[in-house]
Amino acid sequence: MDLSLSTRTVGDRTVVEVGGEIDVYTAPKLREQLVELVNDGSFHLVVDMEGVDFLDSTGLGVLVGGLKRVRAHEGSLRLVCNQERILKIFRITGLTKVFPIHTSVEEAVAATD
Amino acid sequence: MATVELRFSALPEHVRTARLVAAAVARRAGVDEAVLDEVRLAVGEACTRAVGLHQSSGITAPVKVLLIEEEKQFSIEVGDEAPRSAPGDKAPGSLGDDPDADTEEDEMGLAVISGLVDDVEVTAGEHGGSIRMTWPTTPPATPLS
């Protein structure tokens, strides 16, 4: 399985829907996508991880890199994830304190703090 | 004694194959279904690290994965051939364009492994390094005779 990416705009947010496996092979594609969005002026991102089957530290690194980029423009990067096996990786690396993680895209798009 | 041995060229696209093989052998060995996700993630992290070490050191030798089935336990050993001058040292040549990023990703991978696996042993020497991870297994149900 490969990585699938699609983006859509909801209000002032850009939702990036990710599907498949994010690992050392596919993570560069996600990085490119995030960099491109920020370069094009999208600074409030919602990354929907509900379709992600696998995530490793390379993927975490890309998400942290995305967060650094949007923060440089006073933007935000929110995650949508309900899958326990994916959430566990954020917990053991302490990244639950770094990323706002929401249970739905609607919730993430509406969040302001 | 290794049950299955896998060698692959140090390329990112092969790490997924290693994950799939490791999970399949682990399941067969009797590793609990609930733990298989952790096995998959941990072996992927170890292989990703080994691929990175080989690539940054310009080593053409393949990465080696040993899947070892033993009584009541299952071990995975991921070996690289990137030499370190002393245990824990970075491989020579790993100081690329962005040394910080390399180090951060390497450490994040190890952090994930140590967070996931209780029994893990990391060694490194002048001929390369290895990460050995062990999980308990439950014996398979008595086969019908």
Side-chain angles (χ1 to χ4, degrees):
Chain A
M1 188 181 293
D2 217 328
L3 184 74
S4 68
L5 293 168
S6 69
T7 61
R8 64 181 192 277
T9 306
V10 182
D12 65 340
R13 311 291 167 97
T14 303
V15 179
V16 183
E17 201 177 300
V18 190
E21 303 188 341
I22 312 176
D23 72 353
V24 64
Y25 180 53
T26 60
K29 284 187 210 168
L30 178 61
R31 182 187 290 119
E32 277 169 32
Q33 173 76 81
L34 296 178
V35 168
E36 197 182 302
L37 285 170
V38 173
N39 287 346
D40 291 346
S42 303
F43 304 140
H44 290 283
L45 307 178
V46 172
V47 180
D48 180 359
M49 315 268 295
E50 283 299 273
V52 173
D53 303 308
F54 181 87
L55 173 75
D56 73 1
S57 63
T58 325
L60 292 176
V62 168
L63 292 172
V64 171
L67 185 65
K68 276 163 85 173
R69 280 171 198 278
V70 294
R71 278 190 177 166
H73 298 276
E74 295 180 4
S76 62
L77 193 157
R78 297 170 182 283
L79 303 176
V80 176
C81 183
N82 292 296
Q83 301 185 68
E84 186 48 38
R85 60 178 175 175
I86 304 288
L87 289 171
K88 182 174 184 177
I89 306 162
F90 285 97
R91 269 201 299 273
I92 60 175
T93 50
L95 290 172
T96 43
K97 297 187 190 82
V98 174
F99 291 103
I101 301 178
H102 301 273
T103 54
S104 70
V105 171
E106 290 69 29
E107 186 189 298
V109 166
T112 51
D113 56 350
Chain B
M1 161 125 197
T3 311
V4 174
E5 183 176 329
L6 175 71
R7 287 164 189 267
F8 64 92
S9 302
L11 296 169
E13 53 264 51
H14 296 324
V15 172
R16 179 171 188 262
T17 304
R19 288 200 304 269
L20 295 174
V21 172
V25 178
R27 176 183 281 125
R28 227 203 77 83
V31 175
D32 195 272
E33 284 290 324
V35 186
L36 286 178
D37 275 337
E38 295 175 10
V39 172
R40 219 185 320 264
L41 182 56
V43 75
E45 295 292 352
C47 288
T48 298
R49 182 171 177 271
V51 166
L53 288 170
H54 276 210
Q55 289 195 337
S56 59
S57 309
I59 294 167
T60 52
V63 170
K64 193 161 87 178
V65 183
L66 301 176
L67 307 165
I68 306 153
E69 201 177 330
E70 289 162 313
E71 201 180 344
K72 294 181 183 168
Q73 66 175 39
F74 175 71
S75 300
I76 300 180
E77 192 175 321
V78 177
D80 66 74
E81 293 186 18
R84 283 79 150 181
S85 51
D89 270 15
K90 296 292 290 176
S94 65
L95 297 175
D97 296 330
D98 194 353
D100 288 343
D102 276 0
T103 310
E104 275 175 23
E105 286 195 0
D106 181 28
E107 283 171 5
M108 185 114 85
L110 281 179
V112 170
I113 291 172
S114 50
L116 282 175
V117 190
D118 294 332
D119 186 351
V120 55
E121 195 184 314
V122 182
T123 57
E126 55 182 316
H127 302 296
S130 83
I131 297 180
R132 187 185 171 101
M133 304 165 283
T134 303
W135 291 268
T137 54
T138 47
T142 315
L144 297 172
S145 53

